[in-house]
Coordinates of all heavy atoms in Angstrom, one line a residue:
M1 N -0.2 -6.6 7.9 CA 1.0 -7.4 7.4 C 1.9 -6.4 6.7 O 1.4 -5.7 5.8 CB 0.5 -8.5 6.5 CG 1.7 -9.2 5.8 SD 1.2 -10.6 4.8 CE 0.7 -9.7 3.3
N2 N 3.1 -6.4 7.0 CA 4.1 -5.6 6.2 C 4.6 -6.5 5.1 O 4.8 -7.7 5.2 CB 5.3 -5.3 7.1 CG 5.0 -4.2 8.1 OD1 4.1 -3.4 7.9 ND2 5.7 -4.2 9.2
A3 N 4.8 -5.9 3.9 CA 5.3 -6.6 2.8 C 6.3 -5.7 2.0 O 6.1 -4.5 2.0 CB 4.2 -7.0 1.9
I4 N 7.2 -6.3 1.4 CA 8.2 -5.6 0.6 C 8.2 -6.3 -0.8 O 8.3 -7.5 -0.9 CB 9.6 -5.7 1.1 CG1 9.7 -5.0 2.5 CG2 10.6 -5.1 0.2 CD1 11.0 -5.2 3.2
R5 N 8.0 -5.5 -1.8 CA 8.1 -6.1 -3.2 C 9.2 -5.4 -3.9 O 9.3 -4.2 -4.0 CB 6.8 -5.9 -3.9 CG 6.8 -6.5 -5.3 CD 5.5 -6.3 -6.0 NE 5.6 -7.0 -7.3 CZ 5.0 -6.6 -8.3 NH1 4.2 -5.5 -8.3 NH2 5.0 -7.2 -9.5
K6 N 10.2 -6.2 -4.4 CA 11.3 -5.7 -5.2 C 11.6 -6.5 -6.4 O 11.4 -7.7 -6.4 CB 12.6 -5.7 -4.3 CG 12.6 -4.7 -3.2 CD 13.9 -4.7 -2.5 CE 14.0 -3.6 -1.5 NZ 15.3 -3.4 -1.0
I7 N 12.1 -5.9 -7.4 CA 12.6 -6.5 -8.6 C 14.2 -6.4 -8.4 O 14.7 -5.4 -8.3 CB 12.2 -5.9 -9.9 CG1 10.7 -5.7 -10.0 CG2 12.8 -6.6 -11.1 CD1 9.9 -7.0 -10.1
V8 N 14.8 -7.6 -8.3 CA 16.3 -7.6 -8.1 C 16.9 -8.4 -9.2 O 16.3 -9.3 -9.8 CB 16.6 -8.1 -6.7 CG1 16.1 -7.3 -5.6 CG2 16.2 -9.6 -6.5
A9 N 18.2 -8.1 -9.4 CA 19.0 -8.9 -10.4 C 19.5 -10.1 -9.8 O 19.9 -10.2 -8.7 CB 20.1 -8.0 -11.0
V10 N 19.6 -11.2 -10.6 CA 20.2 -12.4 -10.2 C 21.6 -12.4 -10.8 O 21.8 -12.2 -12.0 CB 19.4 -13.6 -10.8 CG1 20.1 -14.9 -10.4 CG2 18.0 -13.6 -10.3
K11 N 22.6 -12.6 -9.9 CA 24.0 -12.6 -10.3 C 24.6 -13.9 -9.8 O 24.6 -14.1 -8.6 CB 24.7 -11.4 -9.8 CG 24.2 -10.1 -10.4 CD 25.0 -8.9 -9.9 CE 24.4 -7.7 -10.5 NZ 25.0 -6.5 -10.0
D12 N 25.2 -14.7 -10.6 CA 25.8 -16.0 -10.2 C 24.9 -16.8 -9.4 O 25.2 -17.4 -8.4 CB 27.1 -15.7 -9.5 CG 28.1 -15.0 -10.3 OD1 28.3 -15.2 -11.5 OD2 28.8 -14.1 -9.7
H13 N 23.6 -16.9 -9.9 CA 22.6 -17.7 -9.3 C 22.3 -17.3 -7.8 O 21.9 -18.1 -7.0 CB 22.9 -19.2 -9.3 CG 23.1 -19.7 -10.7 ND1 22.0 -19.9 -11.5 CD2 24.2 -19.9 -11.5 CE1 22.4 -20.3 -12.7 NE2 23.7 -20.3 -12.7
Q14 N 22.5 -16.0 -7.5 CA 22.2 -15.5 -6.2 C 21.5 -14.2 -6.3 O 21.6 -13.5 -7.2 CB 23.5 -15.3 -5.4 CG 24.3 -16.6 -5.1 CD 25.6 -16.3 -4.3 OE1 25.9 -15.2 -4.0 NE2 26.2 -17.4 -3.9
I15 N 20.7 -13.9 -5.2 CA 20.1 -12.6 -5.1 C 20.5 -12.0 -3.7 O 20.7 -12.7 -2.8 CB 18.6 -12.6 -5.2 CG1 17.9 -13.6 -4.2 CG2 18.2 -13.1 -6.6 CD1 16.4 -13.5 -4.2
N16 N 20.5 -10.7 -3.7 CA 20.8 -10.0 -2.4 C 19.6 -9.0 -2.2 O 19.3 -8.1 -3.0 CB 22.1 -9.2 -2.5 CG 22.4 -8.5 -1.2 OD1 21.9 -8.9 -0.2 ND2 23.3 -7.5 -1.3
I17 N 18.9 -9.2 -1.0 CA 17.8 -8.3 -0.7 C 18.1 -7.5 0.5 O 18.3 -8.2 1.6 CB 16.5 -9.1 -0.5 CG1 16.2 -10.0 -1.8 CG2 15.3 -8.2 -0.2 CD1 15.1 -11.0 -1.7
E18 N 18.1 -6.2 0.5 CA 18.3 -5.4 1.6 C 16.9 -5.1 2.3 O 16.0 -4.7 1.6 CB 19.0 -4.1 1.2 CG 20.1 -3.7 2.1 CD 20.8 -2.5 1.6 OE1 21.6 -2.7 0.7 OE2 20.6 -1.4 2.2
I19 N 16.8 -5.3 3.6 CA 15.6 -5.1 4.3 C 15.7 -3.8 5.1 O 16.7 -3.6 5.8 CB 15.3 -6.3 5.2 CG1 15.1 -7.6 4.3 CG2 14.0 -6.1 6.0 CD1 15.0 -8.8 5.1
P20 N 14.7 -2.9 5.1 CA 14.8 -1.7 5.8 C 14.8 -1.9 7.3 O 14.3 -3.0 7.8 CB 13.5 -0.9 5.4 CG 12.8 -1.7 4.4 CD 13.5 -3.0 4.3
D21 N 15.4 -1.0 8.1 CA 15.5 -1.1 9.5 C 14.1 -1.2 10.2 O 13.9 -1.8 11.2 CB 16.2 0.1 10.2 CG 17.7 0.1 9.8 OD1 18.2 -1.0 9.4 OD2 18.3 1.2 9.8
T22 N 13.1 -0.6 9.5 CA 11.7 -0.7 10.1 C 11.0 -2.0 9.9 O 10.0 -2.2 10.5 CB 10.9 0.4 9.4 OG1 10.9 0.2 8.0 CG2 11.4 1.8 9.7
F23 N 11.6 -2.9 9.1 CA 11.0 -4.2 8.9 C 11.6 -5.1 9.9 O 12.7 -5.7 9.7 CB 11.3 -4.7 7.5 CG 10.5 -5.8 7.0 CD1 9.3 -5.6 6.4 CD2 10.9 -7.1 7.2 CE1 8.5 -6.6 5.9 CE2 10.1 -8.2 6.7 CZ 8.9 -7.9 6.1
T24 N 11.0 -5.3 11.1 CA 11.5 -6.0 12.2 C 10.8 -7.4 12.3 O 9.6 -7.4 12.7 CB 11.4 -5.3 13.5 OG1 10.1 -4.9 13.7 CG2 12.3 -4.0 13.4
T25 N 11.5 -8.4 12.0 CA 11.0 -9.8 12.2 C 12.2 -10.8 12.2 O 13.3 -10.4 11.7 CB 10.0 -10.1 11.1 OG1 9.4 -11.4 11.4 CG2 10.6 -10.2 9.7
D26 N 12.0 -11.9 12.7 CA 13.1 -12.9 12.7 C 13.0 -13.9 11.5 O 14.0 -14.5 11.1 CB 13.0 -13.7 14.0 CG 13.4 -12.9 15.2 OD1 14.2 -11.9 15.0 OD2 12.9 -13.2 16.3
K27 N 11.8 -14.0 10.9 CA 11.6 -14.9 9.7 C 10.8 -14.2 8.7 O 9.9 -13.4 9.0 CB 10.9 -16.2 10.2 CG 11.7 -17.2 10.9 CD 10.8 -18.4 11.1 CE 11.6 -19.5 11.7 NZ 10.8 -20.8 11.9
V28 N 11.1 -14.6 7.4 CA 10.3 -14.1 6.3 C 10.0 -15.2 5.3 O 10.8 -16.2 5.3 CB 11.0 -12.9 5.5 CG1 11.2 -11.7 6.4 CG2 12.4 -13.4 5.0
E29 N 9.0 -15.1 4.5 CA 8.7 -16.0 3.4 C 9.1 -15.4 2.1 O 8.8 -14.2 1.9 CB 7.2 -16.4 3.4 CG 6.9 -17.3 2.3 CD 5.4 -17.6 2.2 OE1 4.6 -17.0 3.1 OE2 5.0 -18.4 1.4
I30 N 9.9 -16.1 1.3 CA 10.3 -15.5 0.1 C 9.7 -16.4 -1.1 O 9.9 -17.6 -1.1 CB 11.9 -15.6 0.0 CG1 12.5 -14.7 1.1 CG2 12.4 -15.1 -1.4 CD1 14.0 -14.7 1.2
I31 N 9.1 -15.7 -2.0 CA 8.5 -16.3 -3.2 C 9.2 -15.7 -4.4 O 9.2 -14.4 -4.5 CB 7.0 -16.1 -3.2 CG1 6.3 -16.7 -2.0 CG2 6.4 -16.7 -4.5 CD1 4.9 -16.4 -1.8
I32 N 9.7 -16.4 -5.3 CA 10.5 -15.9 -6.4 C 9.7 -16.2 -7.7 O 9.4 -17.3 -8.0 CB 11.9 -16.5 -6.4 CG1 12.6 -16.2 -5.2 CG2 12.6 -16.0 -7.7 CD1 14.0 -16.9 -5.0
F33 N 9.4 -15.1 -8.4 CA 8.8 -15.2 -9.7 C 9.8 -14.6 -10.8 O 10.3 -13.6 -10.5 CB 7.5 -14.4 -9.8 CG 6.4 -15.0 -8.9 CD1 6.1 -14.3 -7.7 CD2 5.7 -16.1 -9.3 CE1 5.1 -14.8 -6.9 CE2 4.6 -16.5 -8.5 CZ 4.4 -15.9 -7.3
P34 N 9.9 -15.2 -11.9 CA 10.7 -14.6 -13.0 C 10.0 -13.3 -13.5 O 8.7 -13.3 -13.6 CB 10.8 -15.6 -14.0 CG 9.7 -16.5 -13.8 CD 9.3 -16.5 -12.4
V35 N 10.7 -12.3 -13.9 CA 10.1 -11.1 -14.5 C 10.3 -11.2 -16.0 O 11.4 -11.4 -16.5 CB 10.9 -9.8 -14.0 CG1 10.4 -8.6 -14.7 CG2 10.7 -9.7 -12.5
E36 N 9.2 -11.2 -16.7 CA 9.2 -11.4 -18.1 C 9.7 -10.2 -18.9 O 10.4 -10.3 -19.8 CB 7.8 -11.7 -18.6 CG 7.3 -13.1 -18.2 CD 6.0 -13.4 -18.7 OE1 5.5 -12.8 -19.7 OE2 5.4 -14.4 -18.2
E37 N 9.4 -9.0 -18.4 CA 9.9 -7.8 -19.1 C 11.2 -7.3 -18.3 O 11.3 -7.6 -17.2 CB 8.8 -6.7 -19.1 CG 7.6 -7.1 -19.9 CD 7.9 -7.2 -21.4 OE1 8.7 -6.5 -21.9 OE2 7.2 -8.1 -22.0
E38 N 12.0 -6.5 -19.0 CA 13.2 -6.0 -18.4 C 12.9 -5.0 -17.3 O 13.6 -4.9 -16.4 CB 14.1 -5.4 -19.5 CG 14.7 -6.5 -20.4 CD 15.6 -5.9 -21.5 OE1 15.9 -4.7 -21.4 OE2 15.9 -6.6 -22.4
E39 N 11.9 -4.2 -17.5 CA 11.6 -3.2 -16.5 C 10.1 -3.2 -16.2 O 9.3 -3.6 -17.0 CB 11.9 -1.8 -17.1 CG 13.4 -1.6 -17.4 CD 13.7 -0.2 -17.8 OE1 13.0 0.8 -17.4 OE2 14.6 -0.1 -18.7
V40 N 9.8 -2.8 -15.0 CA 8.4 -2.8 -14.5 C 8.1 -1.3 -14.2 O 8.9 -0.6 -13.6 CB 8.2 -3.6 -13.2 CG1 6.8 -3.4 -12.7 CG2 8.6 -5.0 -13.5
Y41 N 7.0 -0.9 -14.8 CA 6.6 0.5 -14.6 C 5.4 0.6 -13.7 O 4.4 -0.2 -13.9 CB 6.2 1.1 -16.0 CG 7.4 1.1 -16.9 CD1 7.6 0.1 -17.8 CD2 8.4 2.1 -16.8 CE1 8.7 0.1 -18.7 CE2 9.5 2.1 -17.7 CZ 9.6 1.1 -18.6 OH 10.7 1.1 -19.4
D42 N 5.4 1.5 -12.8 CA 4.2 1.8 -11.9 C 3.6 3.0 -12.3 O 4.2 4.1 -12.4 CB 4.7 1.9 -10.4 CG 5.2 0.6 -9.9 OD1 4.6 -0.5 -10.2 OD2 6.1 0.6 -9.1
F43 N 2.3 2.9 -12.7 CA 1.5 4.1 -13.2 C 0.5 4.4 -12.1 O -0.2 3.5 -11.6 CB 0.9 3.8 -14.5 CG 1.8 3.6 -15.6 CD1 2.1 2.3 -16.1 CD2 2.5 4.6 -16.2 CE1 3.0 2.1 -17.1 CE2 3.4 4.4 -17.3 CZ 3.6 3.1 -17.7
S44 N 0.2 5.7 -11.9 CA -0.8 6.1 -11.0 C -2.2 5.9 -11.7 O -2.3 5.7 -12.9 CB -0.7 7.6 -10.7 OG -1.0 8.4 -11.9
E45 N -3.2 5.9 -10.9 CA -4.6 5.7 -11.5 C -4.9 6.8 -12.5 O -5.6 6.5 -13.5 CB -5.6 5.6 -10.3 CG -5.5 4.3 -9.5 CD -5.6 3.0 -10.4 OE1 -6.5 3.0 -11.2 OE2 -4.8 2.1 -10.2
E46 N -4.5 8.0 -12.2 CA -4.7 9.1 -13.1 C -4.0 8.8 -14.5 O -4.6 9.0 -15.5 CB -4.2 10.4 -12.5 CG -4.4 11.6 -13.4 CD -3.8 12.9 -12.8 OE1 -3.3 12.9 -11.6 OE2 -3.9 13.9 -13.5
E47 N -2.8 8.3 -14.4 CA -2.1 8.0 -15.7 C -2.7 6.9 -16.4 O -2.9 6.9 -17.7 CB -0.6 7.7 -15.4 CG 0.2 8.9 -14.9 CD 1.6 8.5 -14.4 OE1 1.6 7.5 -13.6 OE2 2.6 9.1 -14.7
K48 N -3.2 5.9 -15.7 CA -3.9 4.7 -16.3 C -5.2 5.2 -17.0 O -5.5 4.8 -18.1 CB -4.2 3.7 -15.3 CG -3.0 2.9 -14.8 CD -3.4 2.0 -13.7 CE -2.2 1.3 -13.0 NZ -2.6 0.4 -11.9
G49 N -5.9 6.1 -16.3 CA -7.1 6.6 -16.9 C -6.9 7.4 -18.2 O -7.6 7.3 -19.2
L50 N -5.8 8.2 -18.2 CA -5.4 9.0 -19.4 C -5.1 8.0 -20.5 O -5.5 8.3 -21.7 CB -4.3 9.9 -19.0 CG -3.7 10.8 -20.1 CD1 -4.8 11.7 -20.7 CD2 -2.5 11.6 -19.7
M51 N -4.3 7.0 -20.2 CA -4.0 6.0 -21.3 C -5.2 5.3 -21.8 O -5.3 5.1 -23.1 CB -3.0 5.0 -20.7 CG -1.6 5.6 -20.6 SD -0.4 4.3 -20.1 CE -0.4 4.5 -18.3
R52 N -6.1 5.0 -21.0 CA -7.4 4.3 -21.4 C -8.2 5.2 -22.3 O -8.7 4.8 -23.4 CB -8.2 3.9 -20.2 CG -7.6 2.7 -19.5 CD -8.5 2.2 -18.3 NE -7.9 1.3 -17.5 CZ -7.4 1.5 -16.3 NH1 -7.6 2.6 -15.7 NH2 -6.8 0.5 -15.6
E53 N -8.2 6.5 -22.0 CA -9.0 7.4 -22.8 C -8.3 7.6 -24.2 O -9.0 7.6 -25.2 CB -9.0 8.8 -22.2 CG -10.0 8.9 -21.1 CD -11.5 8.7 -21.6 OE1 -11.8 9.3 -22.6 OE2 -12.2 8.0 -20.9
R54 N -7.0 7.6 -24.2 CA -6.3 7.8 -25.5 C -6.4 6.5 -26.4 O -6.4 6.6 -27.6 CB -4.8 8.1 -25.3 CG -4.6 9.5 -24.7 CD -3.2 9.9 -24.5 NE -3.1 11.2 -24.0 CZ -2.0 11.8 -23.6 NH1 -0.8 11.1 -23.6 NH2 -1.9 13.0 -23.2
L55 N -6.5 5.4 -25.7 CA -6.6 4.1 -26.5 C -8.0 3.9 -27.0 O -8.1 3.1 -28.0 CB -6.2 2.9 -25.6 CG -4.7 2.8 -25.3 CD1 -4.4 1.8 -24.2 CD2 -3.9 2.5 -26.5
K56 N -9.0 4.5 -26.5 CA -10.3 4.3 -27.0 C -10.5 4.6 -28.5 O -11.2 3.9 -29.2 CB -11.3 5.2 -26.2 CG -11.7 4.6 -24.9 CD -12.7 5.5 -24.2 CE -13.1 5.0 -22.8 NZ -14.0 5.9 -22.1
N57 N -9.8 5.6 -29.0 CA -10.0 6.0 -30.3 C -8.8 5.7 -31.2 O -8.5 6.3 -32.2 CB -10.2 7.5 -30.4 CG -11.4 7.9 -29.7 OD1 -12.5 7.3 -29.8 ND2 -11.4 9.0 -28.9
T58 N -8.1 4.6 -30.9 CA -6.9 4.2 -31.7 C -7.3 3.0 -32.5 O -8.2 2.2 -32.3 CB -5.7 3.9 -30.8 OG1 -6.1 2.8 -29.9 CG2 -5.2 5.1 -30.0
D59 N -6.5 2.8 -33.6 CA -6.6 1.7 -34.5 C -5.6 0.6 -34.1 O -4.4 0.8 -34.3 CB -6.4 2.2 -35.9 CG -6.5 1.1 -36.9 OD1 -6.8 -0.1 -36.5 OD2 -6.3 1.3 -38.1
P60 N -6.1 -0.5 -33.5 CA -5.1 -1.6 -33.1 C -4.2 -2.1 -34.2 O -3.1 -2.6 -33.9 CB -6.1 -2.7 -32.6 CG -7.4 -2.0 -32.3 CD -7.5 -0.9 -33.2
S61 N -4.6 -2.0 -35.4 CA -3.8 -2.5 -36.5 C -2.5 -1.7 -36.7 O -1.6 -2.1 -37.3 CB -4.6 -2.5 -37.8 OG -4.9 -1.2 -38.2
K62 N -2.5 -0.5 -36.1 CA -1.3 0.4 -36.2 C -0.3 0.2 -35.1 O 0.8 0.8 -35.1 CB -1.8 1.9 -36.2 CG -2.6 2.3 -37.4 CD -2.9 3.7 -37.4 CE -3.8 4.0 -38.6 NZ -4.2 5.4 -38.7
F63 N -0.6 -0.7 -34.2 CA 0.3 -1.0 -33.1 C 1.3 -2.0 -33.5 O 1.1 -2.9 -34.3 CB -0.4 -1.6 -31.9 CG -1.2 -0.5 -31.1 CD1 -2.5 -0.3 -31.4 CD2 -0.6 0.2 -30.1 CE1 -3.2 0.7 -30.6 CE2 -1.2 1.1 -29.4 CZ -2.6 1.4 -29.7
E64 N 2.6 -1.9 -33.0 CA 3.6 -2.9 -33.2 C 3.9 -3.7 -31.9 O 3.8 -3.1 -30.8 CB 4.9 -2.2 -33.7 CG 4.8 -1.6 -35.0 CD 6.1 -1.1 -35.5 OE1 7.1 -1.8 -35.5 OE2 6.2 0.1 -35.9
D65 N 4.2 -4.9 -32.1 CA 4.5 -5.8 -30.9 C 5.7 -5.3 -30.2 O 6.8 -5.0 -30.8 CB 4.6 -7.2 -31.4 CG 4.9 -8.1 -30.2 OD1 3.9 -8.5 -29.6 OD2 6.0 -8.5 -30.0
W66 N 5.6 -5.1 -28.9 CA 6.7 -4.6 -28.1 C 8.0 -5.5 -28.2 O 9.1 -5.0 -28.3 CB 6.3 -4.5 -26.6 CG 7.5 -4.3 -25.7 CD1 7.9 -5.2 -24.8 CD2 8.4 -3.2 -25.7 NE1 9.0 -4.7 -24.1 CE2 9.4 -3.5 -24.7 CE3 8.6 -2.1 -26.4 CZ2 10.4 -2.7 -24.4 CZ3 9.6 -1.2 -26.1 CH2 10.5 -1.5 -25.1
R67 N 7.8 -6.8 -28.2 CA 8.9 -7.7 -28.3 C 9.7 -7.5 -29.6 O 10.9 -7.5 -29.7 CB 8.5 -9.1 -28.1 CG 8.1 -9.4 -26.7 CD 7.5 -10.8 -26.6 NE 7.0 -11.0 -25.2 CZ 5.8 -10.6 -24.8 NH1 5.0 -10.0 -25.6 NH2 5.4 -10.8 -23.6
K68 N 9.0 -7.3 -30.7 CA 9.6 -7.1 -32.0 C 10.4 -5.7 -32.0 O 11.5 -5.6 -32.5 CB 8.6 -7.1 -33.1 CG 8.0 -8.5 -33.4 CD 7.0 -8.4 -34.5 CE 6.4 -9.8 -34.7 NZ 5.3 -9.7 -35.8
L69 N 9.8 -4.7 -31.5 CA 10.4 -3.4 -31.4 C 11.7 -3.5 -30.5 O 12.7 -3.0 -30.9 CB 9.5 -2.4 -30.8 CG 8.4 -1.9 -31.7 CD1 7.4 -1.0 -30.9 CD2 8.9 -1.1 -32.9
R70 N 11.6 -4.2 -29.4 CA 12.7 -4.4 -28.5 C 13.9 -5.1 -29.2 O 15.0 -4.7 -29.1 CB 12.3 -5.1 -27.3 CG 13.3 -5.2 -26.2 CD 12.8 -5.8 -24.9 NE 12.5 -7.2 -25.2 CZ 11.9 -8.0 -24.3 NH1 11.5 -7.5 -23.1 NH2 11.6 -9.2 -24.6
E71 N 13.5 -6.2 -30.0 CA 14.6 -6.9 -30.7 C 15.2 -6.0 -31.7 O 16.4 -6.1 -31.9 CB 14.0 -8.1 -31.4 CG 13.6 -9.2 -30.4 CD 12.8 -10.3 -31.1 OE1 12.7 -10.3 -32.4 OE2 12.3 -11.2 -30.4
K72 N 14.5 -5.2 -32.4 CA 15.0 -4.3 -33.4 C 15.8 -3.2 -32.9 O 16.9 -2.9 -33.5 CB 13.8 -3.8 -34.3 CG 14.2 -3.0 -35.5 CD 13.0 -2.6 -36.3 CE 13.4 -1.8 -37.5 NZ 12.2 -1.4 -38.3
Y73 N 15.4 -2.6 -31.8 CA 16.1 -1.3 -31.4 C 16.9 -1.5 -30.1 O 17.7 -0.6 -29.8 CB 15.1 -0.2 -31.2 CG 14.4 0.2 -32.5 CD1 13.1 -0.2 -32.8 CD2 15.1 0.9 -33.4 CE1 12.5 0.2 -34.0 CE2 14.5 1.3 -34.6 CZ 13.2 0.9 -34.9 OH 12.6 1.3 -36.1
L74 N 16.7 -2.5 -29.3 CA 17.5 -2.6 -28.1 C 18.5 -3.7 -28.1 O 18.5 -4.6 -28.8 CB 16.5 -2.8 -26.9 CG 15.5 -1.7 -26.6 CD1 14.6 -2.1 -25.5 CD2 16.2 -0.4 -26.3

């Protein structure tokens, strides 16, 4: 099964999805989910492993909530 996953902006209650030439079909199923965060980051398994290692020895009480930081600085 071929699948395309994209995060697209909604403008005037509409979305525009461009499909590559290699995606050849007459019908598609579209499922729409809201994105909670402004950006989505894709990390490799190597990067995820590195982050897990660094988090093992951290003090959770020193972390700040991302939403609070975003409100303050963005």
Side-chain angles (χ1 to χ4, degrees):
M1 173 179 80
N2 287 335
I4 297 172
R5 181 176 184 215
K6 289 187 173 190
I7 305 295
V8 297
V10 177
K11 294 181 183 174
D12 298 322
H13 300 283
Q14 295 182 353
I15 59 172
N16 183 20
I17 302 171
E18 224 173 285
I19 299 173
D21 293 338
T22 57
F23 197 89
T24 55
T25 187
D26 292 331
K27 283 186 173 183
V28 296
E29 177 180 4
I30 298 173
I31 302 171
I32 300 171
F33 294 103
V35 175
E36 291 183 15
E37 297 295 328
E38 291 180 10
E39 295 184 36
V40 175
Y41 299 96
D42 291 323
F43 296 102
S44 69
E45 289 304 315
E46 181 181 355
E47 290 169 316
K48 290 176 187 176
L50 180 59
M51 286 186 265
R52 287 183 190 109
E53 283 298 315
R54 290 181 179 172
L55 286 171
K56 279 182 184 178
N57 299 318
T58 57
D59 180 1
S61 67
K62 294 181 180 179
F63 284 93
E64 292 188 53
D65 183 78
W66 165 245
R67 287 173 187 85
K68 289 179 184 176
L69 288 171
R70 188 174 63 186
E71 287 172 11
K72 185 176 180 179
Y73 294 107
L74 298 179

